[in-house]
Amino acid sequence: MYKEPEVEHVEIKELMNLSLDKWAELGTLNWYIMYLYALGEINSLNKTAYFNPHYIALNAIEANENLAINHIKSVMKYHKKRQYFMAPYLAGGHYSLIMIHHNPVDKNYYGHIIDSSNEEKDASCYKITELFEKATKTKITWKMENCHQQSGTWECGYYVMYAMYDFLMTCREHLVSIFVYLYLLYVEL
């Protein structure tokens, strides 16, 4: 999944938190995207790559922005034939999903932000969007997508995981465009 081998240790307590309270932490989320990547490979759904959430979390970016940019570049280079890149992004205790679509026809990048608490937000509210533009050396068109809005303060990690799974498995990344997927996600929830 990544150029270098990656191991994730997830505590049983964190899996219980996910199962019982729909609350996810970075280790659980990284383990989950490793699972989605493997599941995609098994089902010949190989247009999607993922970023390690440990490297792109806001606190990691603030500690070492260049490490985050290099991780983005590394994943995009290693998976240069993939069209979709998913970045589960943690900032201030809140998860959102940043999706990058690399259009093979026009060679442009398009960004989609799925945030279950997105009132009055735009791409400038997410430090990670700036890093994607630095890493790709491209001005990316960003769109805040309509999606289910959380009722409490803890569901965001669950919704990010749900959106990634739904995109990969339910919508079958190769059957629908990202725009149709995002519409379906909003209507379904």
Side-chain angles (χ1 to χ4, degrees), residues 89-149:
Y89 177 60
L90 177 63
H94 179 72
Y95 287 102
S96 52
L97 180 60
I98 312 300
M99 295 178 67
I100 304 295
H101 174 219
H102 183 241
N103 187 324
V105 177
D106 67 12
K107 306 290 186 211
N108 289 323
Y109 292 96
Y110 301 93
H112 305 272
I113 301 170
I114 299 171
D115 189 336
S116 59
S117 178
N118 68 7
E119 284 187 21
E120 300 181 27
K121 290 182 184 176
D122 62 19
S124 66
C125 297
Y126 304 84
K127 178 72 173 170
I128 190 75
T129 58
E130 175 187 321
L131 270 57
F132 276 114
E133 291 182 358
K134 285 181 180 180
T136 61
K137 297 179 181 164
T138 307
K139 177 69 177 147
I140 298 174
T141 303
W142 295 99
K143 184 172 188 243
M144 295 295 297
E145 300 297 345
N146 289 325
C147 64
H148 183 73
Q149 297 297 288

Side-chain angles (χ1 to χ4, degrees), residues 8-20:
E8 188 66 61
H9 299 281
V10 179
E11 295 181 22
I12 297 296
K13 177 186 170 196
E14 301 309 331
L15 288 176
M16 295 302 291
N17 283 337
L18 177 62
S19 298
L20 299 174

